[in-house]
Amino acid sequence: MAKLNMVQAINLALREEMARDDRVVVMGEDVGRDGGVFRVTEGLREHFGAERVIDTPLSESGIVGAATGMAAYGLRPVAEIQFMGFIYSALDQLSAHGARLRTRSRGRYTCPLVVRTPYGAGIKAPELHEESSEAIFCHIPGIKVVAPSGPYTAKGLMLAALRDPDPVLYLEPTRLYRLIREEVPEGEYLTELGRARLARTGDNVTVIAWGSMLERVLKAVEPYSADVIDLLTLSPFDAETVLASVRKTGRAVIVHEAIKTCGLGAEIAATIAEDAILHLRAPVLRVTAPDVPVPLGKLIDHYLPTAEQIRAALDEVLQY
Amino acid sequence: MPNEVIAEFKVTRMSILDENGIADVALMPELSHEEIRKMYELMLLARAFDQRALALQREGRLGTYPPIMGQEAAQVGSAMAIKPADWVFPSFRETGVHLSLGYPIAQIFQYWSGDERGQLTPDNLNIFPFCVSVGTHIPHAVGAAMAARYRRDPIAVVAYFGDGATSKGDFHEGFNMAGVFRLPVVFICQNNQWAISIPVKEQTAAASLAQKAVAYGFEGIQVDGNDVFAVYCATRNALEKARGNGGPTFIECLTYRVADHTTADDAGRYRSSEEVAAWRARDPILRLERFMAAQGFWSEDYGREARSRASASMDEAVHEMEGFPPPAAADMFEHACASLSPRQTRQQEGL
Ligand SMILES: Cc1ncc(C[n+]2csc(CCOP(=O)(O)OP(=O)(O)O)c2C)c(N)n1
Ligand SMILES: [Mg+2]
């Protein structure tokens, strides 16, 4: 089996699904001739032609809005937003339309759309190239939000997202794009949406993370006996798996690279409080970025949660 | 009944200085030799900045950098027409504008080295922060122009952006408002013919970008963007019109991005080296040099000297930039808001 990085794994998923299903089209800025600024769509235009791999004008709202129309018409568009920091002008389309088309048309029209976007910090790129604003999208009913943590889940989640009948926001952690290589099988396997994965098992504490933070968490927890939950789908998140683990360990630490206030960690912590508070032996802690705009490269290491901060939180709940 | 013609329009292109350095004297703006030398030296300064930035990036001393090479005339020519009280809203590829307006060189390097503090515009300049989100600053320029008029300030506002930006909704919303309110704003598009890998022909089906202004009810003009005199003239005229309550103008500078989109890009993947070579031959600096030589105020010696002065300015600025102490972690909070929340304060203290 081939060892692939995440860029190659997502590319493979798109390639296989495009070969299988001619409704799948890829569109966005620089996705065609250039193969995407991270090369995720490399070679697709050569293989499937410019009609299915569409270089668009620089128009985020136009891209997502047009993709919504294509999806409603019966295609399966995969729209790329070049960086998550540029998705905000398409928020109107996603939130007011993509997410509600099914509701507004009483099920007559649907929006089986995948919006891919690189997200997250740690690549020393300019302003707005390192955003992690998943919580904004998790706050929109009607959209699913997923974030793979490695090449294997990247492919499985992409295939599942492409088969999903509703809009899926697919977040690609840029820091991991080429950092991790894993065995990625050819052919079909779906990573079920709405299901988390136990990335490691232990007894004393549950650590919940996703995307690029998972790699950091796995390193940080080595000396601990911890359940590590790789959330994979951020909305709707797999409360069942989280609660089962917390009931077992009695402690929970949530790690995310987005800012703390109103981050997804708050929703997870509230769910634990609602449904498993009597099992808790310590407060639920969050290790997150501080409540400031993402800084430029020189300060990014002070912004992102570190292994030390993760361990400090683990020690705190264990010694509580 | 036959259909009536309800609108007709023409879009013109202005050029003064041709590729051989020969100027149309009838159109030539009144500029002293000293002023022309200043333009030339600023263009050299911009080129020197670019070359130094690319070298520093390769050595890992600078982050991702968007070079301006080939666009010096569009940037210097337009900036020379801007007055200190005017407000300027740049994109991220206007190093030549910043340098022409006197933005501290070390700070531009500092910004591209990943240090926010480079964004602090000196008090004597009205330049907005670099706008990385393409085209989204266009409505800000429109709003500033509304405010200036409300205050009866005799200034004009300038927004710079690229050809790609003309596809953004913000461009259209900003243009429409500028037209509706007849605002004192000048929009300058550097049509460098590429938005990363997308050629301008795939950005728009229109024959020019300039004509987009027509639909919003104001004047659009295309200028040869590698002709520093034409760019200067068009900008000066538009600014005077704006200050005199004549409404907005859109200037499309036809130029070319000679280098990669940024240091993270490889333009060889999507465009031919012949195309690049053809545009290199239309180098705006070379063109001005030829003009000055023909007029008898350029010599090899002067050119060499001016280049080495530009290079020395870079040495000095890089030295200054590398002497800045690194930002403290707490700096992230320094300007996050006027007063920190209790949680932010705890986070800052806990760093
Ligand atoms: C809203 C937005 N979308 C995408 C990007 C990524 N991006 C950066 S520059 C660029 C192309 C811009 O082209 P143009 O407006 O012609 O300016 P140029 O780079 O040529 O100066 C793109 C797509 C961005 N910065 N902002
Ligand atoms: Mg351009």
Side-chain angles (χ1 to χ4, degrees):
Chain A
M1 214 184 299
K3 282 210 160 197
L4 303 183
N5 65 28
M6 198 184 279
V7 169
Q8 296 165 323
I10 301 169
N11 183 279
L12 181 62
L14 292 171
R15 204 177 273 271
E16 288 181 1
E17 195 68 357
M18 289 180 82
R20 196 189 71 85
D21 182 350
D22 68 3
R23 294 173 305 169
V24 179
V25 297
V26 166
M27 64 197 289
E29 295 156 17
D30 309 290
V31 298
R33 217 177 278 106
D34 197 35
V37 294
F38 287 104
R39 309 289 174 249
V40 172
T41 53
E42 173 143 42
L44 296 183
R45 178 159 158 142
E46 287 75 2
H47 200 271
F48 297 102
E51 214 181 4
R52 290 184 72 189
V53 184
I54 305 161
D55 271 330
T56 65
L58 205 165
S59 309
E60 283 75 12
S61 178
I63 292 167
V64 174
T68 300
M70 291 165 102
Y73 199 90
L75 300 189
R76 294 264 164 173
V78 182
E80 176 180 308
I81 297 296
Q82 203 163 78
F83 287 89
M84 193 172 202
F86 308 130
I87 203 172
Y88 304 118
S89 70
L91 190 56
D92 190 13
Q93 286 297 337
L94 269 174
S95 141
H97 295 287
R100 299 177 197 225
L101 190 56
R102 182 185 289 278
T103 308
R104 285 171 54 225
S105 69
R106 311 292 304 162
R108 169 70 170 80
Y109 299 110
T110 62
C111 187
L113 157 70
V114 177
V115 177
R116 296 179 36 238
T117 192
Y119 91 102
I123 54 165
K124 304 254 152 104
E127 194 188 356
L128 289 166
H129 287 66
E130 308 213 344
E131 304 281 290
S132 182
S133 45
E134 64 272 19
I136 295 175
F137 299 89
C138 292
H139 200 61
I140 303 172
I143 301 180
K144 298 187 179 73
V145 182
V146 303
S149 57
Y152 182 83
T153 55
K155 183 179 171 197
L157 278 177
M158 179 52 83
L159 290 178
L162 286 163
R163 308 275 174 95
D164 196 80
D166 287 314
V168 178
L169 178 64
Y170 183 98
L171 303 175
E172 303 175 5
T174 49
R175 203 172 59 83
L176 303 189
Y177 262 149
R178 294 169 196 280
L179 190 70
I180 305 172
R181 298 184 86 85
E182 283 173 356
E183 300 211 329
V184 177
E186 280 185 20
E188 178 168 320
Y189 67 92
L190 304 185
T191 301
E192 191 188 343
L193 303 189
R195 278 269 158 264
R197 176 181 77 102
L198 260 182
R200 187 177 186 279
T201 52
D203 301 319
N204 302 331
V205 56
T206 301
V207 187
I208 301 138
W210 56 90
S212 83
M213 279 300 117
L214 191 83
E215 178 256 358
R216 202 159 276 190
V217 164
L218 287 174
K219 282 198 184 126
V221 303
E222 260 164 34
Y224 298 83
S225 176
D227 261 2
V228 174
I229 296 179
D230 178 6
L231 215 50
L232 295 174
T233 299
L234 314 188
S235 180
F237 81 92
D238 182 358
E240 203 183 309
T241 298
V242 170
L243 292 169
S245 172
V246 172
R247 288 191 184 112
K248 177 182 77 175
T249 63
R251 300 174 185 91
V253 171
I254 303 154
V255 182
H256 62 63
E257 70 163 279
I259 67 159
K260 185 169 200 169
T261 299
C262 291
L264 183 55
E267 181 59 35
I268 298 168
T271 303
I272 295 171
E274 280 173 349
D275 293 334
I277 199 161
L278 297 179
H279 293 84
L280 286 177
R281 287 182 238 182
V284 176
L285 292 189
R286 285 176 285 167
V287 183
T288 71
D291 289 345
V292 296
V294 185
L296 295 185
K298 288 240 152 116
L299 290 181
I300 204 72
D301 291 339
H302 296 284
Y303 174 83
L304 282 177
T306 61
E308 295 80 73
Q309 287 168 328
I310 297 167
R311 287 200 199 102
L314 291 173
D315 292 339
E316 192 177 332
V317 295
L318 287 168
Q319 285 154 25
Y320 187 79
Chain B
M1 225 186 290
N3 288 355
E4 272 177 80
V5 176
I6 54 161
E8 272 183 306
F9 67 92
K10 283 199 193 81
V11 182
T12 58
R13 177 185 306 151
M14 181 199 274
S15 55
I16 297 175
L17 183 64
D18 74 12
E19 284 175 34
N20 302 315
I22 298 166
D24 183 331
V25 272
L27 299 176
M28 192 58 198
E30 262 183 50
L31 287 166
S32 65
H33 282 191
E34 200 182 324
E35 284 168 316
I36 294 172
R37 254 193 230 110
K38 186 176 171 202
M39 282 179 166
Y40 174 67
E41 290 178 20
L42 282 171
M43 286 164 74
L44 289 182
L45 197 68
R47 179 74 49 98
F49 184 98
D50 236 30
Q51 283 162 345
R52 192 62 59 93
L54 293 176
L56 291 174
Q57 195 279 336
R58 274 194 295 274
E59 294 165 17
R61 291 152 78 190
L62 223 58
T64 307
Y65 173 74
I68 65 159
M69 201 197 298
Q71 302 179 214
E72 292 88 350
Q75 303 197 355
V76 172
S78 57
M80 288 281 290
I82 294 171
K83 296 203 167 136
D86 295 338
W87 277 57
V88 178
F89 291 77
S91 77
F92 53 85
R93 199 191 298 282
E94 268 91 38
T95 312
V97 174
H98 286 86
L99 292 169
S100 302
L101 296 175
Y103 200 96
I105 306 173
Q107 267 186 267
I108 313 177
F109 280 122
Q110 184 184 26
Y111 175 71
W112 293 113
S113 78
D115 186 340
E116 224 88 55
R117 295 172 302 175
Q119 288 263 39
L120 177 60
T121 304
D123 287 341
N124 63 327
L125 298 175
N126 301 314
I127 306 179
F128 235 48
F130 298 85
C131 182
V132 169
S133 182
V134 169
T136 53
H137 58 305
I138 294 171
H140 307 157
V142 170
M146 287 174 91
R149 185 158 68 195
Y150 176 75
R151 287 272 173 80
R152 308 281 185 270
D153 288 337
I155 66 137
V157 177
V158 181
Y160 284 94
F161 47 88
D163 42 296
T166 63
S167 297
K168 283 289 288 183
D170 293 301
F171 165 90
H172 296 275
E173 297 183 30
F175 266 46
N176 187 48
M177 277 209 199
V180 167
F181 299 125
R182 271 178 73 83
L183 295 170
V185 56
V186 177
F187 301 108
I188 300 178
C189 176
Q190 292 178 72
N191 175 1
N192 63 10
Q193 318 216 23
W194 290 91
I196 311 190
S197 73
I198 309 298
V200 71
K201 282 187 186 56
E202 291 177 31
Q203 201 66 246
T204 179
S208 73
L209 299 175
Q211 72 201 56
K212 290 177 187 266
V214 177
Y216 294 108
F218 57 93
E219 183 193 357
I221 178 174
Q222 192 181 71
V223 305
D224 178 343
N226 284 10
D227 168 353
V228 70
F229 298 141
V231 175
Y232 170 77
C233 246
T235 313
R236 191 202 51 193
N237 295 350
L239 285 167
E240 277 169 11
K241 177 173 115 187
R243 290 191 196 98
N245 241 331
T249 310
F250 179 29
I251 303 170
E252 174 191 0
C253 301
L254 198 64
T255 179
Y256 193 79
R257 192 197 82 213
V258 171
D260 291 336
H261 170 69
T262 66
T263 47
D265 175 50
D266 172 12
R269 291 171 64 90
Y270 51 78
R271 64 183 191 184
S272 74
S273 51
E274 291 78 40
E275 179 185 304
V276 181
W279 277 94
R280 269 185 194 279
R282 287 176 219 163
D283 185 79
I285 296 181
L286 188 63
R287 196 185 291 197
L288 184 57
E289 237 167 51
R290 286 179 179 147
F291 170 83
M292 292 165 75
Q295 301 289 312
F297 65 111
W298 186 90
S299 65
E300 294 280 348
D301 278 351
Y302 163 65
R304 210 174 8 255
E305 244 172 66
R307 280 189 166 78
S308 83
R309 267 202 306 277
S311 168
S313 302
M314 294 307 136
D315 294 341
E316 210 177 292
V318 172
H319 184 72
E320 190 185 342
M321 185 261 299
E322 297 200 319
F324 292 141
D331 188 77
M332 285 187 285
F333 291 85
E334 216 48 60
H335 303 285
C337 36
S339 56
L340 297 180
S341 68
R343 173 177 276 178
Q344 284 172 313
T345 305
R346 279 196 304 279
Q347 289 173 338
Q348 188 183 31
E349 285 164 3
L351 280 170

